[in-house]
Amino acid sequence: MKLERGLSFLQDMRWRAGLLAFAVLLVVGSGCALWALHELRIDGARAASQDARAMARSVAQTLAQQLGRAARLGIPLQELPGVAPYLAAALERQSTLASIAVVLPDGHTLHAAGSKSAPGDAADTVRVEIVAKKGVAGAVVAVAGGRAAMPQSLARAQMLSAAAVLALAVGAGLWAALGPGAQLERQRRAAWAWLEGTAQADTPRLEILARGGGLQSLLEALAQGDAEQHATQEAVEAYAQELLAMDFDGLMREDIERIVRPVVGQREEG
């Protein structure tokens, strides 16, 4: 019976090497990409917070200067018209602001716009005093919100990193399959062809080969062949010793040693 030469998908060394390289690079690359994205998220959030705080300070200073001019002219803050609509318009123009408010020296909120009107509730709160002739007339409190485009940039970075990792993993898998994997597959096919040719009359080894084309079956067949070779060498040596024991006149010693010498040499090398 001639053994089948077709190897299944998982037994082909090209696919094994390719899938192994693909999986390793995919796992390692994904880990590196996740770490880089995490660092990018932290740095981006820090930069966005700093920018939002700087914008909140700029808006608060501008409004405090305008209200300070009115206060220095003797106009009380409570009597200034249009302050509340101005705060709402400023909050709408600046997406990085969560709230903006005008407070009196006693802490009472005079005008406010936004979700966080209470000063000091957020870490990114900026407070700029309104300076009048007789001291401080109040303060402008702005809270940075951070409604920036950071999520969009992160989503774009995630898509690009995922595509890059996948492309590298596919490239590495193809290289491993067509390079080292193909060479290993040629070597394994050659070994199987040799074993098939030498195992036709060997029923035990033929049964091992019939289990499949996996490396384990190949190793078992090679181990059995090596054991059979050692057993044959030992039998030849034992038979040679028996012949030498019966060679009383020594006429056959030279011929026996000439025949046994290659067998003994192969055993010592093994």
Side-chain angles (χ1 to χ4, degrees):
M1 182 182 65
K2 185 177 178 58
L3 294 177
E4 295 182 358
R5 288 181 173 271
L7 300 177
S8 65
F9 175 79
L10 294 178
Q11 292 172 343
D12 196 316
M13 292 303 298
R14 292 170 296 181
W15 289 111
R16 286 190 176 187
L19 290 176
L20 178 61
F22 175 82
V24 170
L25 192 57
L26 186 64
V27 172
V28 175
S30 298
C32 294
L34 289 176
W35 177 80
L37 288 173
H38 177 69
E39 294 296 323
L40 178 63
R41 185 181 295 108
I42 294 177
D43 295 340
R46 186 183 300 112
S49 177
Q50 293 175 354
D51 294 343
R53 185 177 177 84
M55 182 59 66
R57 179 170 295 279
S58 176
V59 172
Q61 287 178 346
T62 301
L63 181 58
Q65 290 175 359
Q66 294 175 354
L67 296 178
R69 292 193 190 98
R72 286 191 293 271
L73 292 176
I75 304 174
L77 297 181
Q78 295 85 340
E79 299 179 4
L80 287 176
V83 177
Y86 180 86
L87 295 180
L91 188 66
E92 187 174 353
R93 287 193 303 268
Q94 301 296 336
S95 61
T96 57
L97 293 181
S99 67
I100 185 169
V102 177
V103 298
L104 298 177
D106 59 0
H108 177 70
T109 300
L110 185 61
H111 302 286
S115 59
K116 297 181 180 179
S117 58
D121 289 345
D124 292 332
T125 300
V126 176
R127 181 185 181 94
V128 179
E129 295 180 345
I130 302 173
V131 181
K133 289 183 178 180
K134 297 182 180 181
V136 178
V140 176
V141 179
V143 179
R147 296 193 303 254
M150 187 64 187
Q152 296 181 359
S153 62
L154 272 179
R156 192 182 309 112
Q158 289 175 354
M159 293 177 58
L160 292 177
S161 61
V165 170
L166 183 60
L168 289 175
V170 171
L174 290 175
W175 172 82
L178 300 178
Q183 183 178 1
L184 289 174
E185 182 62 23
R186 287 193 299 268
Q187 294 174 353
R188 193 180 73 156
R189 286 176 183 268
W192 274 107
W194 178 80
L195 285 175
E196 289 175 5
T198 59
Q200 296 302 320
D202 191 343
T203 302
R205 196 187 308 177
L206 196 63
E207 293 176 354
I208 295 177
L209 294 175
R211 296 177 186 175
L215 288 179
Q216 183 62 34
S217 298
L218 178 60
L219 292 175
E220 290 179 7
L222 291 175
Q224 180 175 338
D226 185 67
E228 293 172 354
Q229 181 181 4
H230 281 284
T232 302
Q233 292 173 352
E234 292 177 356
V236 170
E237 292 181 20
Y239 186 64
Q241 293 299 327
E242 293 179 2
L243 292 178
L244 290 175
M246 293 185 297
D247 185 21
F248 301 106
D249 54 3
L251 296 178
M252 295 188 299
R253 176 175 294 275
E254 184 177 354
D255 294 334
I256 293 173
E257 291 179 350
R258 178 174 52 82
I259 296 173
V260 175
R261 189 178 299 112
V263 178
V264 176
Q266 291 179 359
R267 184 180 179 183
E268 292 177 351
E269 290 177 0

